[in-house]
Amino acid sequence: MPYKIDWERAGVYRHYYGDVSVAERRASLVAISADHRFDDLRYALTNYLDVQAYETTPATTAEIAALHIGPMFTNPQLMIVAVAQRPDILAAIADFQRLGFIKAPYRVFPTMPEARSWIDGQLA
């Protein structure tokens, strides 16, 4: 399992590392959205900085984006935040956003301190 999930006071932190498959991305989304704490989350922060290989296609990006619709309906206050630098991951995130399946804020930052600072500002 190339990810770790940590529940924080107001959000959830997911850290991907190594080789990340679509099935693992799907499993991590289900693990977060099915948890009893999900409805109280204000942010979901995903760190992609330690990913070595990232499985993605336009079809799988659309699938993952569609899987966000239900959870975002039940928790409309959720902000999505990503930390990424790899061009393939940045492109997949941009494709996800272009699909327009969800209206939640979705911000991408190159470093964890920048992401955390933005989250702190939004929660203040």
Side-chain angles (χ1 to χ4, degrees):
M1 177 169 55
Y3 64 87
K4 184 175 186 317
I5 296 172
D6 291 316
W7 294 89
E8 301 179 347
R9 183 181 58 78
V12 64
Y13 171 67
R14 174 177 42 200
H15 182 192
Y16 285 126
Y17 52 88
D19 297 345
V20 180
S21 71
V22 172
E24 291 154 340
R25 290 169 44 214
R26 189 182 308 112
S28 72
L29 175 61
V30 169
I32 292 169
S33 61
D35 190 280
H36 71 279
R37 296 167 282 193
F38 178 79
D39 289 343
D40 296 323
L41 295 178
R42 292 290 314 281
Y43 65 88
L45 171 59
T46 302
N47 179 345
Y48 295 91
L49 296 177
D50 296 321
V51 170
Q52 299 302 308
Y54 189 74
E55 180 184 17
T56 188
T57 66
T60 59
T61 296
E63 174 194 353
I64 295 293
L67 290 173
H68 280 73
I69 295 171
M72 296 306 296
F73 183 76
T74 65
N75 184 351
Q77 69 180 354
L78 187 68
M79 300 174 289
I80 301 174
V81 183
V83 178
Q85 296 177 3
R86 287 175 52 118
D88 57 339
I89 295 172
L90 293 171
I93 291 170
D95 288 345
F96 179 110
Q97 292 170 317
R98 268 193 296 279
L99 289 166
F101 290 173
I102 62 169
K103 300 300 179 210
Y106 192 149
R107 297 290 305 266
V108 181
F109 298 92
T111 69
M112 285 296 295
E114 289 173 278
R116 291 282 187 187
S117 177
W118 185 81
I119 290 169
D120 290 345
Q122 297 302 303
L123 294 178

